[in-house]
Amino acid sequence: MESKRENNQSTFSISIAASLMLSTTAFAVDTKTTAGAPDLTSIRTRIDAKDFPGAIAELTPMLEASPSADVYNLMGFSLRKSGDLKQAQTFYSKALDFDPSHKGALEYQGELYLQIGDIDRAKANLTKLAALCPTGCEERGELEAKIEAAATAN
């Protein structure tokens, strides 16, 4: 009985990780940029093309020259999509330190939590997004759908 449960949990974790790795859109931060953020158009183009190493290389000098929630969020996103979950978490946290209401960072951090199997923390981010956009927003809808998919996969 225990090994079947462990096998189900392993299958669940693998399916969530695979679906999150395949989801690469970065539109949540495109809906509204942080005031004073640098032009991130070329970085978003790299992300849309799945050139995460190129996005990281372009973002790195901005971390000191033009730090903003958007820069930290896109760095976290690019790192997560490159497989560096620990560093991704660090940058999502920095984005939220800059702007605790950054919807893109809350969504993507929630996706990271799902990827590592921490559905409770993903739900906590969804609660924050629900408070920020009670009538709905793209970030809330995306995270909500991924949490539902994770629950269904279990």
Side-chain angles (χ1 to χ4, degrees):
M1 181 82 156
E2 188 65 30
S3 68
K4 184 177 180 182
R5 184 171 158 210
E6 288 173 2
N7 190 24
N8 286 343
Q9 287 177 334
S10 177
T11 302
F12 168 73
S13 295
I14 291 168
S15 65
I16 292 302
S19 69
L20 290 173
M21 290 297 282
L22 293 173
S23 171
T24 61
T25 56
F27 296 116
V29 293
D30 288 342
T31 56
K32 180 183 175 206
T33 57
T34 304
D39 182 5
L40 301 169
T41 305
S42 64
I43 294 164
R44 289 186 177 106
T45 300
R46 287 182 184 275
I47 289 171
D48 289 341
K50 300 179 185 176
D51 178 12
F52 304 116
I56 292 166
E58 199 171 331
L59 284 162
T60 299
M62 291 182 181
L63 296 172
E64 283 191 39
S66 306
S68 73
D70 286 343
V71 170
Y72 287 128
N73 183 47
L74 288 178
M75 180 62 93
F77 183 89
S78 298
L79 288 164
R80 178 169 60 95
K81 293 299 182 174
S82 296
D84 190 344
L85 303 183
K86 186 174 181 177
Q87 283 296 317
Q89 175 55 35
T90 298
F91 283 99
Y92 289 140
S93 294
K94 287 182 178 194
L96 293 167
D97 285 345
F98 250 84
D99 179 3
S101 300
H102 194 281
K103 292 182 275 186
L106 287 167
E107 175 194 348
Y108 294 149
Q109 184 184 55
E111 290 177 11
L112 181 142
Y113 291 145
L114 289 174
Q115 198 169 343
I116 62 172
D118 193 342
I119 197 164
D120 290 335
R121 289 176 79 183
K123 286 179 179 179
N125 277 31
L126 181 60
T127 299
K128 292 173 187 175
L129 284 168
L132 291 170
C133 38
T135 59
C137 60
E138 180 183 351
E139 298 85 357
R140 177 183 172 183
E142 290 286 326
L143 184 56
E144 196 166 47
K146 289 181 180 175
I147 290 172
E148 287 174 17
T152 303
N154 193 11

